[in-house]
């Protein structure tokens, strides 16, 4: 298989797969041309997790305990009434407007799929 690249002057060049990642000269104008790695078109989950980094451990809070209890038992917790326009940051436990995707206090990414 071959890869098509263009030199800085616009000449169309075709290179073999064994030249991927190397740099050479355009045979027409002698300008330096780098042959890039082919793009796969998507990022794997492992690559995305590598970009995001390791998540901070979840802080132990009463609100989290109530949510966990409600999830395990299927019961609704009525003891904590939350403003529907506010959510809690899982890292610093501060109330944040639901329009934020990153906590303005600790800069933790706080959005979930339901936010979109």
């Amino acid at each position: 298989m071959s890869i098509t690249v263009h030199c800085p002057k616009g000449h169309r060049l075709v290179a073999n797969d064994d030249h991927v990642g190397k740099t050479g000269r355009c045979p027409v104008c002698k300008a330096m041309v780098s042959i890039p790695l082919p793009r796969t078109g998507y990022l794997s989950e492992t690559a995305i997790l590598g970009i995001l980094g390791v998540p901070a451990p979840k802080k132990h809070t009463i609100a989290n305990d109530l949510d966990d209890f409600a999830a395990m038992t299927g019961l609704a917790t009525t003891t904590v009434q939350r403003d529907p326009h506010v959510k809690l940051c899982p890292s610093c436990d501060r109330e944040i407007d639901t329009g934020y995707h990153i906590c303005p206090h600790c800069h933790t990414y706080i959005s979930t799929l339901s936010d979109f």
Side-chain angles (χ1 to χ4, degrees), residues 17-84:
D17 284 341
D18 56 334
H19 296 293
V20 169
K22 296 180 181 177
T23 302
R25 294 201 178 269
C26 172
V28 178
C29 65
K30 307 299 183 213
M32 294 301 290
V33 179
S34 295
I35 302 169
L37 296 172
R39 292 186 179 179
T40 58
Y42 67 95
L43 289 174
S44 68
E45 290 181 13
T46 305
I48 292 170
L49 290 174
I51 293 168
L52 294 175
V54 179
K58 187 176 177 182
K59 287 180 76 175
H60 181 77
T61 63
I62 293 173
N64 289 339
D65 288 344
L66 289 172
D67 291 341
D68 292 342
F69 177 76
M72 287 188 308
T73 61
L75 300 173
T77 55
T78 57
T79 56
V80 177
Q81 296 292 326
R82 293 192 183 138
D83 182 359

Side-chain angles (χ1 to χ4, degrees), residues 10 33 50 91 112:
V33 179
S91 182
T112 60

